[in-house]
Amino acid sequence: LTRYKRVKKERRCKTPALMSNPQLKGVCVKVFTRTPKKPNSAIRKVAKLRLSNKKVVESYIPGEGHSLQEYSVVLMRGGRVPDLPGVKYHCVRGKYDFKEVKNRKTSRSKYGAKKQK
């Protein structure tokens, strides 16, 4: 310790594919469903994306109903899904080809829904 300083522990990045960007644009390679981990049971919608930085990652599709298919363009943000191992990203609703959730009353900003008249 007299000759060398204490070595700082390296922080591991939780969203490596974003490369410290807030969001990234990507193209859907495959849209599929998956079942969650042990105590829960549902069918979760997941998309495999090829990002603008050429990386391929899996991203969660939030909300009820979607019209995503192969070659759809979406915006991806960070945020993991505790239920699904290996899914560390979310798709952003209401941007590019990913339409907002219809008839959404609460938490509208998360699902890109406009205020209803």
Side-chain angles (χ1 to χ4, degrees):
L1 274 178
T2 49
R3 205 179 293 177
Y4 305 109
K5 287 201 171 82
R6 288 184 189 277
V7 179
K8 280 269 169 69
K9 198 175 178 187
E10 278 284 309
R11 279 235 184 95
R12 191 169 51 87
C13 181
K14 287 186 176 179
T15 54
L18 282 174
M19 293 181 157
S20 50
N21 298 310
Q23 301 95 9
L24 275 180
K25 188 156 86 166
V27 179
C28 291
V29 179
K30 185 177 162 193
V31 180
F32 56 101
T33 59
R34 186 180 280 177
T35 53
K37 270 161 68 171
K38 202 47 184 281
N40 297 331
S41 74
I43 294 178
R44 307 260 189 253
K45 280 68 177 179
V46 182
K48 194 170 223 174
L49 305 179
R50 175 170 287 110
L51 301 175
S52 52
N53 60 12
K54 302 293 185 287
K55 292 194 173 180
V56 178
V57 294
E58 286 175 5
S59 178
Y60 184 69
I61 299 172
E64 294 178 17
H66 69 88
S67 58
L68 285 185
Q69 48 194 20
E70 213 177 334
Y71 305 119
S72 296
V73 179
V74 295
L75 189 70
M76 186 194 80
R77 65 176 172 84
R80 75 187 199 101
V81 186
D83 270 359
L84 302 172
V87 179
K88 299 178 186 171
Y89 309 95
H90 273 70
C91 295
V92 177
R93 300 246 14 177
K95 191 84 176 120
Y96 306 130
D97 297 342
F98 197 15
K99 293 285 175 274
E100 68 281 342
V101 177
K102 291 274 177 278
N103 303 325
R104 181 88 198 180
K105 301 263 196 319
T106 60
S107 320
R108 291 196 330 274
S109 69
K110 288 183 180 177
Y111 299 95
K114 294 276 187 281
K115 178 89 168 170
Q116 288 184 332
K117 300 285 186 284

